[in-house]
Amino acid sequence: MENREDLNSILPYLPLLIRSSSLYWPPRVVEALKAMSEGPSHSRVDSGEVLWQAISDMRRSLSLSARLLSPSAPQGYALLFDELIHGRDSKRWFDEIIPALARLLLQLPSLLEMHFQKADGAVSGVETGLRLLEPQQAGIVFLSQELIGALLACAFFCLFPVSNRGAKDLPGINFDNLFASLYESYSESHESKIRCIMNYFERVCSCMPTGTVSFERKILPAEYHNSSTTAPDADFWSKSDISLCAFKVHSSGLIEDQSDNALEVDFANKYLGGGSLNRGCVQEEIRFMINPELIAGMLFLPRMDDNEAIEIVGAERFSCYTGYASSFRFAGDYIDKRTVDHFKRRRTRIVAIDALCAPKMRHFKDVCLLREINKALCGFLIQRKSWQHQNKGDIDIQLASNDEDSGLLHTETSTSHGAALDDAETNRQKQDSNFVRDVEGSDCMDHEDVGVATGNWGCGVFGGDPELKAMIQWLAASQARRPFISYYTFGAQALENLDQVTKWILSHDWTVGDLWNMMLEYSAQRLYKQTRLGFFSWLLPSLPTNNEAISLLSL
């Protein structure tokens, strides 16, 4: 174990120790977790205030200072468990959920050891073990849902080291800021975020899922490079003769509810998760709350560069919700019924791509348009040569699963919660043997029929132009040979003519190059104040809203 490069890369960011090829908790932490696992009669952990004292004691036993955590975290834990939660629910948490999470944490060393033992054989010739996936290092990590549950329990107890994460551009992973924000600036929306996390823990403590989630750092492939650039240049896009793919407009509905088995876009921060574990409550943060397994990627995936994206396959959804931002509310349990693939991942494919955050007019500059379209292309590409330049040599296999060719499972995931935590060891051994057998020699490529489900990426506070952002994503999806794009407008007034415009463009058989060149011409006119029209009205003067736009121009 000590000689494994993957383990050595992630070990500084874990709270565990290693000796004689074994991972372990320090004795005092084991003692505390065992007491907690037997309930409040043994641990005396029966309130939020005492829970934080136990957390602080465990951090000291790990030689981790509680002073590096948010100073308001103790009040946040106390506020939630001692005031906001009703007495019966709070008692259940201290009698049942906290003990179950402690038992899960006691299993973390063995779960990790088993993970590394199985990692080398998961996909022939491909490194899949948990490790730091640094910028410009393409690669993939496969984690069992049970291991993810243990890692998130570790985050709930704030046991991850903190001081060394900033140097590697890693986002925060402990839950101290999540709870501190509840105390510092209480809102119903923030309480609802925590309720989603609580619902996740309640579910996995009663019925542990037995699937797998993969986390991949994608880098724009070498075939799009030349000697001086790391992404396609404007000339590449101008000359593209690829046909535009089908475009479906949805004026209502949500990306995560799409039924087309499409790749779902996370409007991401360059630091994966954005404000999920802080005060953020928009598209990315909401997705991380209803699919909490996404949070695990924040442990080992540093910030994204301009030519990078992060794709996560298999994250289960656990919660329903209503609203957005300040109106966000937890709305109860959600049973995820998506089928699973050959790797036992749910067919939920989420790609995180971060848009530029800049003053509105800057978005019309060629360099910004190019950056955005290449970012989207990186996210949407079906990687035929996965993890293109791994240290151990080029691997010529395909990512994700080919639904038709690999004999994939079609099990309803409503039955995938597995067995109770106490029976997890038996199920884990069975799962591991099946996993290795199932994937041996299999094709892990995304199916050609997988489209893209997206929406107003990089708009709102990031300042992006909704019309141009829709076109940019369409171009990227088409260049990536995706068969369609499902676009959710979320009722944006600026996109009320999106369906009409895309149908007109498709009726004229435009290529990627045709639309790109038209966007460049329009953007130049906007920059030089030769027009104030939106792209759609500029392109199609006959649009119903054109008269209003002309009136604005004459002011």
Side-chain angles (χ1 to χ4, degrees), residues 467 471 474 496-508 510 515 518-519 522 525 531 533-550:
E467 297 179 17
M471 298 296 99
W474 190 14
E496 61 184 1
N497 292 316
L498 179 60
D499 188 51
Q500 182 179 348
V501 170
T502 53
K503 285 178 178 176
W504 183 88
I505 291 173
L506 287 170
S507 72
H508 286 75
W510 280 15
L515 181 53
M518 199 62 70
M519 281 177 48
Y522 164 75
Q525 290 190 21
T531 183
L533 295 173
F535 178 64
F536 295 167
S537 297
W538 177 86
L539 182 66
L540 297 176
S542 61
L543 285 176
T545 58
N546 188 55
N547 290 335
E548 179 182 350
I550 290 176

Side-chain angles (χ1 to χ4, degrees), residues 253-273:
L254 301 167
I255 293 171
E256 61 266 25
D257 293 330
Q258 59 87 22
S259 58
D260 294 324
N261 200 32
L263 178 69
E264 300 169 9
V265 177
D266 165 17
F267 307 161
N269 189 286
K270 66 179 179 180
Y271 289 91
L272 184 68

Side-chain angles (χ1 to χ4, degrees), residues 185-229:
S185 54
Y186 173 82
S187 67
E188 286 188 61
S189 59
H190 196 81
E191 181 183 344
S192 287
K193 286 176 62 178
I194 297 178
R195 295 274 185 176
C196 289
I197 299 293
M198 293 176 67
N199 183 61
Y200 163 75
F201 282 132
E202 290 169 8
R203 283 273 300 276
V204 300
C205 286
S206 60
C207 289
M208 179 59 69
T210 58
T212 305
V213 183
S214 65
F215 300 80
E216 181 200 358
R217 182 177 287 276
K218 300 169 71 172
I219 301 175
L220 214 52
E223 54 262 36
Y224 288 100
H225 296 183
N226 61 39
S227 59
S228 61
T229 64

Side-chain angles (χ1 to χ4, degrees), residues 155-361:
F156 173 81
F157 287 107
C158 301
L159 297 181
F160 287 110
V162 174
S163 60
N164 55 354
R165 295 185 64 81
K168 286 290 187 179
D169 287 324
L170 285 162
I173 183 68
N174 289 318
F175 287 2
D176 56 310
N177 283 313
L178 182 67
F179 281 88
S181 297
L182 183 70
Y183 172 77
E184 293 171 353
S185 54
Y186 173 82
S187 67
E188 286 188 61
S189 59
H190 196 81
E191 181 183 344
S192 287
K193 286 176 62 178
I194 297 178
R195 295 274 185 176
C196 289
I197 299 293
M198 293 176 67
N199 183 61
Y200 163 75
F201 282 132
E202 290 169 8
R203 283 273 300 276
V204 300
C205 286
S206 60
C207 289
M208 179 59 69
T210 58
T212 305
V213 183
S214 65
F215 300 80
E216 181 200 358
R217 182 177 287 276
K218 300 169 71 172
I219 301 175
L220 214 52
E223 54 262 36
Y224 288 100
H225 296 183
N226 61 39
S227 59
S228 61
T229 64
T230 58
D233 57 17
D235 190 56
F236 169 93
W237 289 102
S238 293
K239 294 179 178 178
S240 174
D241 59 0
I242 301 294
S243 298
L244 293 167
C245 66
F247 199 106
K248 308 174 185 179
V249 178
H250 304 271
S251 57
S252 62
L254 301 167
I255 293 171
E256 61 266 25
D257 293 330
Q258 59 87 22
S259 58
D260 294 324
N261 200 32
L263 178 69
E264 300 169 9
V265 177
D266 165 17
F267 307 161
N269 189 286
K270 66 179 179 180
Y271 289 91
L272 184 68
S276 297
L277 301 183
N278 212 304
R279 299 179 185 179
C281 197
V282 287
Q283 196 257 9
E284 179 173 39
E285 290 85 0
I286 290 172
R287 195 63 198 266
F288 273 59
M289 295 301 102
I290 65 173
N291 295 66
E293 291 164 333
L294 298 171
I295 297 170
M298 298 168 68
L299 173 64
F300 57 91
L301 286 161
R303 56 131 182 91
M304 288 180 276
D305 285 341
D306 285 348
N307 65 328
E308 295 183 322
I310 293 171
E311 185 168 335
I312 303 172
V313 181
E316 182 175 353
R317 179 175 172 183
F318 288 86
S319 295
C320 297
Y321 76 97
T322 60
Y324 189 81
S326 62
S327 66
F328 174 77
R329 298 291 183 271
F330 169 68
D333 198 28
Y334 180 91
I335 303 301
D336 194 330
K337 295 184 178 181
R338 291 197 182 179
T339 55
V340 297
D341 69 12
H342 208 78
F343 293 94
K344 303 193 186 322
R345 302 175 300 182
R346 276 172 183 74
R347 286 191 179 85
T348 298
R349 304 169 176 90
I350 299 171
V351 64
I353 51 175
D354 57 301
L356 282 174
C357 183
K360 197 169 185 67
M361 290 307 295

Side-chain angles (χ1 to χ4, degrees), residues 262-265 380 450-454 473 477 482-487:
L263 178 69
E264 300 169 9
V265 177
F380 299 165
V450 174
V452 175
T454 189
Q473 292 182 88
R482 295 285 180 174
F484 65 86
I485 189 167
S486 287
Y487 197 99

Side-chain angles (χ1 to χ4, degrees), residues 359-369 468 519-533:
K360 197 169 185 67
M361 290 307 295
R362 184 184 165 199
H363 287 270
F364 295 106
K365 293 184 176 180
D366 289 3
V367 65
C368 294
L369 294 171
L468 285 187
M519 281 177 48
L520 289 183
E521 182 179 345
Y522 164 75
S523 297
Q525 290 190 21
R526 281 298 299 268
L527 277 175
Y528 292 105
K529 300 182 179 180
Q530 295 171 355
T531 183
R532 291 176 60 186
L533 295 173

Side-chain angles (χ1 to χ4, degrees), residues 330-514:
F330 169 68
D333 198 28
Y334 180 91
I335 303 301
D336 194 330
K337 295 184 178 181
R338 291 197 182 179
T339 55
V340 297
D341 69 12
H342 208 78
F343 293 94
K344 303 193 186 322
R345 302 175 300 182
R346 276 172 183 74
R347 286 191 179 85
T348 298
R349 304 169 176 90
I350 299 171
V351 64
I353 51 175
D354 57 301
L356 282 174
C357 183
K360 197 169 185 67
M361 290 307 295
R362 184 184 165 199
H363 287 270
F364 295 106
K365 293 184 176 180
D366 289 3
V367 65
C368 294
L369 294 171
L370 191 58
R371 188 272 183 194
E372 298 295 75
I373 197 170
N374 286 338
K375 171 65 73 167
L377 176 65
C378 182
F380 299 165
L381 270 175
I382 301 171
Q383 302 274 28
R384 296 188 178 277
K385 291 185 179 179
S386 67
W387 322 301
Q388 301 90 0
H389 299 290
Q390 282 199 354
N391 294 334
K392 294 184 179 179
D394 291 349
I395 308 298
D396 190 9
I397 74 167
Q398 296 177 323
L399 283 180
S401 299
N402 186 317
D403 294 0
E404 293 180 354
D405 298 336
S406 57
L408 301 184
L409 304 177
H410 293 281
T411 306
E412 288 295 312
T413 59
S414 58
T415 65
S416 68
H417 303 312
L421 190 59
D422 291 339
D423 297 328
E425 182 67 26
T426 301
N427 285 327
R428 184 165 62 245
Q429 292 172 354
K430 185 183 299 183
Q431 173 198 356
D432 288 335
S433 62
N434 289 339
F435 179 84
V436 174
R437 182 176 66 252
D438 287 348
V439 303
E440 188 173 358
S442 69
D443 184 348
C444 55
M445 176 64 187
D446 228 346
H447 192 274
E448 295 286 351
D449 289 340
V450 174
V452 175
T454 189
N456 306 328
W457 171 58
C459 302
V461 295
F462 273 33
D465 182 278
E467 297 179 17
L468 285 187
K469 278 296 199 296
M471 298 296 99
I472 284 170
Q473 292 182 88
W474 190 14
L475 290 170
S478 301
Q479 188 66 41
R481 306 299 181 97
R482 295 285 180 174
F484 65 86
I485 189 167
S486 287
Y487 197 99
Y488 293 80
T489 67
F490 307 110
Q493 187 175 2
L495 297 176
E496 61 184 1
N497 292 316
L498 179 60
D499 188 51
Q500 182 179 348
V501 170
T502 53
K503 285 178 178 176
W504 183 88
I505 291 173
L506 287 170
S507 72
H508 286 75
D509 297 322
W510 280 15
T511 65
V512 167
D514 293 332

